[in-house]
Amino acid sequence: PAAAPAGTTAPAPSPAPASAPPVVPAPSAEEIGRMAQDLGSEDSEVREAAAGRLIEAGPAAVPALAGKLGIEDPVASSEALFCLEHIRAGGREEVVALLRKTDSFDLIVYCIRALGAIGDASTAAELRPYLGWLPKPRPEGADYYESKMDDCRQGKIRNQAAESMARLGDTSGMPVLIANLRGNGWVRRDSIVSLRRLTGCEVDFDFVLDDPAASREQAVLKWEQWWKDNSAAWKPKFAMTRKVMDIYESRKKK
């Protein structure tokens, strides 16, 4: 090229065009199946890599993820639920089909939570009957411990149904969540965690799990009055579970 005239500066060379990012091919059904198996790996790095790829795969991965909900491996179930919560598109039919055919407590909870995360508002009607879910009657003389666990299961499923419905825009289950603040320790713990998540931790009334019953009742009455005053216009404001649990731990230490 010709030299620049004296007393002038040569123009800077044009930057090289940015190279396009490599196109990652969508995983095949077989690859998705293998990655879903990896969700139960003992190696956390393997689990995290599989979860990342499954989330990238999007709705195509939902059937395989739904198949991991509520199985004997709780690690794989939790990872599958994590993926479904991040995909938030498609998969409603697969998870509803699972919910309709199962009697497993764990699988019912996983499916209800996953449907709230998937975000299809039409699913709220499918979840509404679980606001009144009852465990199967036990024979007379059944183990006391199992009977108490049934109380916890009943509260857990009702709470999860109410929370998932609220995420889908149906707040008719909020009175159930508030009423369950009067439940046993595990039930009221689930209830206050759900309420704090749904209100963005902006509403609280100093409900403390281990306070005397009279103190807890005062907080519950305030929750009930809050809902009476705000139910017509209230919209959920979601808080991350970590923030909710930080509040729970700080209250427990007081």
Side-chain angles (χ1 to χ4, degrees):
T8 63
T9 304
S14 301
S19 57
V23 176
V24 179
S28 66
E30 292 76 12
E31 289 173 314
I32 287 174
R34 287 195 295 271
M35 289 186 288
Q37 285 296 112
D38 285 342
L39 295 178
S41 171
E42 294 182 0
D43 187 328
S44 62
E45 292 185 1
V46 172
R47 294 197 305 271
E48 290 173 7
R53 288 295 312 281
L54 288 165
I55 291 169
E56 290 174 0
V62 168
L65 291 168
K68 291 296 179 183
L69 293 175
I71 61 173
E72 292 301 318
D73 183 352
V75 173
S77 295
S78 296
E79 293 287 352
L81 182 57
F82 173 83
C83 294
L84 286 168
E85 288 179 330
H86 281 74
I87 292 172
R88 288 187 62 82
R92 174 191 183 279
E93 290 75 17
E94 289 86 351
V95 180
V96 166
L98 274 176
L99 180 60
R100 287 175 176 173
K101 72 182 182 183
T102 186
D103 291 326
S104 162
F105 161 74
D106 289 330
L107 185 50
I108 290 172
V109 172
Y110 277 122
C111 286
I112 292 174
R113 184 173 169 187
L115 288 169
I118 288 169
D120 186 329
S122 67
T123 309
E126 190 78 36
L127 300 181
R128 200 168 294 124
Y130 290 92
L131 294 175
W133 184 87
L134 291 170
K136 290 182 178 179
R138 292 190 177 274
E140 187 175 350
D143 181 80
Y144 172 80
Y145 173 78
E146 284 300 322
S147 297
K148 298 304 290 183
M149 286 302 297
D150 280 346
D151 291 342
C152 293
R153 294 182 181 113
Q154 173 179 307
K156 177 73 173 179
I157 286 176
R158 292 181 178 190
N159 284 343
Q160 188 60 67
E163 180 177 349
S164 289
M165 287 170 60
R167 294 186 69 173
L168 298 172
D170 182 339
T171 60
S172 61
M174 289 293 286
V176 173
L177 273 178
I178 293 171
N180 277 347
L181 292 172
R182 296 186 174 97
N184 65 36
W186 286 107
V187 173
R188 63 179 182 262
R189 176 187 181 278
D190 281 344
S191 182
I192 194 61
V193 167
S194 290
L195 286 167
R196 286 174 179 153
R197 265 199 299 257
L198 290 171
T199 58
C201 296
E202 294 177 7
V203 184
D204 195 274
F205 305 121
D206 294 324
F207 182 88
V208 181
L209 288 175
D210 300 323
D211 266 1
S215 298
R216 295 199 310 270
E217 181 62 19
Q218 290 301 310
V220 176
L221 291 173
K222 290 177 182 177
W223 272 105
E224 289 176 334
Q225 186 61 49
W226 168 81
W227 184 246
K228 182 179 179 181
D229 295 341
N230 295 278
S231 59
W234 178 80
K235 301 293 183 186
K237 297 180 181 179
F238 300 110
M240 296 298 291
T241 300
R242 180 67 263 168
K243 180 179 179 181
V244 173
M245 296 311 296
D246 286 344
I247 292 175
Y248 167 70
E249 292 296 333
S250 66
R251 291 283 166 76
K252 195 167 63 170
K253 292 172 184 175
K254 285 185 177 180

